[in-house]
Amino acid sequence: MFGKDFLFGVSISGFQFEMGDEKSIDPNTDWFAWTHDELNQLNYVVSEDCVENGVNYWSRYEEIHKLCEECGLNSIRIGIEWSRIFPGPTFDTRSDQLQSIADMKAVEHYREIMTDARKKGLRVILNLNHFTLPIWLHDPIYVNRNCDFSKNGWVNDKSVEEFSKYAEFCVKCFDDLCDMYSTMNEPNIVAQLGYLSRNSGFPPSIMSVEFYKKAIENQIKAHKSAYNKMKQLTEKPVGIIYATIWYEGDESAEEAMKFANWYFLDEAMKYSDFLGANYYTRAVVKKRKPCELNGLKITWKTVRGFGQSCKQNSRSFDGHLTTDNGWEIYPEGLEKILIACWQKYKKPIYITENGVADIKDIYRPYYIVSHLSVIEKLIENGLDIKGYLHWSITDNFEWALGYSMRFGLIHMDFADGSLTPRPSYFLYSKIIEKNTAHTFKKLLEIWG
């Protein structure tokens, strides 16, 4: 059984969910500029889908919260957009003067969203940054096309102070309406896909080990600074959300784990009340000839046919189901990474994202039962796991892939805006009602 205070919820973000009508459009982020750039579209760096034709959580939050309530959820992780709160630069403004340049209408609207969530019985986990940056801090088109690094995001040392000022302001504005905070979501993904992976579709798509290292270091510093300032103003938990991935294969997996997980978390968890662990699949690696890249030593390479590099809607090389985006379903990896994180940090853990791209809802029921069964077993074995937040409540804008990948418990028709709960929505509701996934474990043998 899950504990009586266990959080069953969903996670959403700002950019991926908020826009959907004229009133909701926020053009002031790096991702808005990046996805609307015609050269990016022509070269298939991004899809031609427009984020402003999306879920419209900004205006439809009451309807979506109602669907959460009807599912039996008791929590929701929402994201707020830095660019909505501060559409213009904050460089020359002290912390105690920020209200004079903030968009207080946006602040009030976010307060209305949180108030409605609480009225519907949802505890609010407030995430302050989910990939996007204000265009005044990061202009990826200028960086990519013109080698103009005056607005270079997390590579810019000024980003540390500006983020911590923003975080401090958010506590002053929202502390009475939220239950806990995360400073940022998946900082490792922002750095890796932006600066080490040309084919990821992530801005600014500059291959630079130097920039990668700088972006990682500045995000660590920003988290630390934000945590310290926030804890002066609130007693509520403040943590970080990280894209955890379990590496296995040969002896090189240990080095891959250090690179991908522990380097960042070992520092960040010193300044975190909890770990928000996002998990989707594993990676299998094998040893390669060591290469030295500007001080970054790589001793492994990813083996294709496992993890995120599988054939879509098929099987991985060792027989596990794969999904619409070719990701392997591997709940064993969740168990292993959670045990490793608990042994290293001994701090409360929330699974803050876990889900599957599956438009037909073929795999999602199996995915939910198998992963929640792992979590329930770990809790029974003594791990302090306090919540599970599925990604996500509705289909949404999946970054460079647009609307092609569907992660929702609820199907969204982006042509007419209709929302239709999938069977997995009702399964998740039944697990919550019974407070256990063990009742459904027999189904795993059928799906297997």
Side-chain angles (χ1 to χ4, degrees), residues 55-57 59-70 116 120 393-394 410 412 417-420 425:
V55 177
N56 198 14
Y57 178 72
S59 299
R60 299 179 69 180
Y61 62 87
E62 292 177 297
E63 179 183 0
I64 293 171
H65 292 164
K66 183 64 175 175
L67 288 164
C68 292
E69 181 184 33
E70 291 173 351
D116 183 74
K120 291 183 171 66
I393 185 63
T394 69
I410 297 170
M412 174 140 199
S418 61
L419 295 169
T420 307
Y425 169 93

Side-chain angles (χ1 to χ4, degrees), residues 29-41:
T29 70
D30 52 355
W31 267 98
F32 192 93
W34 187 251
T35 54
H36 283 79
D37 180 75
E38 291 185 346
L39 193 56
N40 278 344
Q41 294 175 2

Side-chain angles (χ1 to χ4, degrees), residues 78-89:
I78 68 171
I80 58 176
E81 287 293 291
W82 188 352
S83 55
R84 286 195 190 271
I85 306 297
F86 295 109

Side-chain angles (χ1 to χ4, degrees), residues 174-244:
F174 306 121
D175 196 52
D176 60 320
L177 294 175
C178 71
D179 296 272
M180 51 196 294
Y181 300 90
S182 54
T183 56
M184 54 184 68
N185 174 83
E186 299 188 343
N188 51 327
I189 297 300
V190 172
Q192 288 176 25
L193 298 191
Y195 299 109
L196 295 182
S197 179
R198 176 80 75 184
N199 299 323
S200 69
F202 271 54
S205 191
I206 294 286
M207 296 284 279
S208 169
V209 173
E210 179 184 357
F211 285 177
Y212 162 78
K213 291 165 67 175
K214 192 67 171 176
I216 285 287
E217 292 299 328
N218 278 341
Q219 287 179 99
I220 291 173
K221 291 176 181 177
H223 167 70
K224 287 181 180 180
S225 179
Y227 176 86
N228 287 333
K229 288 188 175 183
M230 293 168 75
K231 294 302 287 187
Q232 292 176 14
L233 300 171
T234 183
E235 296 181 356
K236 293 173 181 175
V238 177
I240 192 163
I241 294 172
Y242 198 80
T244 62

Side-chain angles (χ1 to χ4, degrees), residues 31-277:
W31 267 98
F32 192 93
W34 187 251
T35 54
H36 283 79
D37 180 75
E38 291 185 346
L39 193 56
N40 278 344
Q41 294 175 2
L42 287 169
N43 284 280
Y44 300 100
V45 175
V46 299
S47 76
E48 293 184 288
D49 292 339
C50 293
V51 67
E52 59 267 35
N53 297 329
V55 177
N56 198 14
Y57 178 72
W58 189 253
S59 299
R60 299 179 69 180
Y61 62 87
E62 292 177 297
E63 179 183 0
I64 293 171
H65 292 164
K66 183 64 175 175
L67 288 164
C68 292
E69 181 184 33
E70 291 173 351
C71 188
L73 307 184
N74 60 15
S75 55
I76 186 170
R77 173 194 136 200
I78 68 171
I80 58 176
E81 287 293 291
W82 188 352
S83 55
R84 286 195 190 271
I85 306 297
F86 295 109
T90 57
F91 297 119
D92 299 320
T93 307
R94 299 198 317 260
S95 294
D96 59 351
Q97 298 175 330
L98 285 175
Q99 185 168 337
S100 65
I101 62 170
D103 184 341
M104 295 308 294
K105 289 183 178 179
V107 170
E108 184 54 38
H109 192 77
Y110 277 124
R111 287 186 58 83
E112 292 170 4
I113 290 172
M114 293 178 215
T115 299
D116 183 74
R118 293 173 71 90
K119 285 181 179 177
K120 291 183 171 66
L122 300 172
R123 279 177 269 188
V124 175
I125 301 168
L126 187 60
N127 181 58
L128 304 185
N129 180 248
H130 191 130
F131 292 178
T132 58
L133 291 174
I135 196 73
W136 51 262
L137 186 62
H138 184 218
D139 188 330
I141 305 302
Y142 271 72
V143 171
N144 181 277
R145 307 287 155 72
N146 304 327
C147 295
D148 181 339
F149 302 118
S150 58
K151 298 179 181 178
N152 56 351
W154 289 114
V155 178
N156 191 329
D157 289 338
K158 292 181 179 179
S159 63
V160 175
E161 181 180 0
E162 300 315 304
F163 180 75
S164 60
K165 284 159 54 176
Y166 158 66
E168 182 182 4
F169 183 77
C170 287
V171 175
K172 293 176 181 177
C173 292
F174 306 121
D175 196 52
D176 60 320
L177 294 175
C178 71
D179 296 272
M180 51 196 294
Y181 300 90
S182 54
T183 56
M184 54 184 68
N185 174 83
E186 299 188 343
N188 51 327
I189 297 300
V190 172
Q192 288 176 25
L193 298 191
Y195 299 109
L196 295 182
S197 179
R198 176 80 75 184
N199 299 323
S200 69
F202 271 54
S205 191
I206 294 286
M207 296 284 279
S208 169
V209 173
E210 179 184 357
F211 285 177
Y212 162 78
K213 291 165 67 175
K214 192 67 171 176
I216 285 287
E217 292 299 328
N218 278 341
Q219 287 179 99
I220 291 173
K221 291 176 181 177
H223 167 70
K224 287 181 180 180
S225 179
Y227 176 86
N228 287 333
K229 288 188 175 183
M230 293 168 75
K231 294 302 287 187
Q232 292 176 14
L233 300 171
T234 183
E235 296 181 356
K236 293 173 181 175
V238 177
I240 192 163
I241 294 172
Y242 198 80
T244 62
I245 188 165
W246 177 256
Y247 285 85
E248 54 190 53
D250 61 20
E251 66 272 20
S252 67
E254 183 177 353
E255 288 301 314
M257 287 287 286
K258 289 179 183 177
F259 168 81
N261 295 308
W262 311 141
Y263 180 82
F264 192 105
L265 285 177
D266 281 353
E267 286 300 310
M269 287 305 294
K270 296 173 185 176
Y271 300 85
S272 297
D273 300 323
F274 66 89
L275 171 62

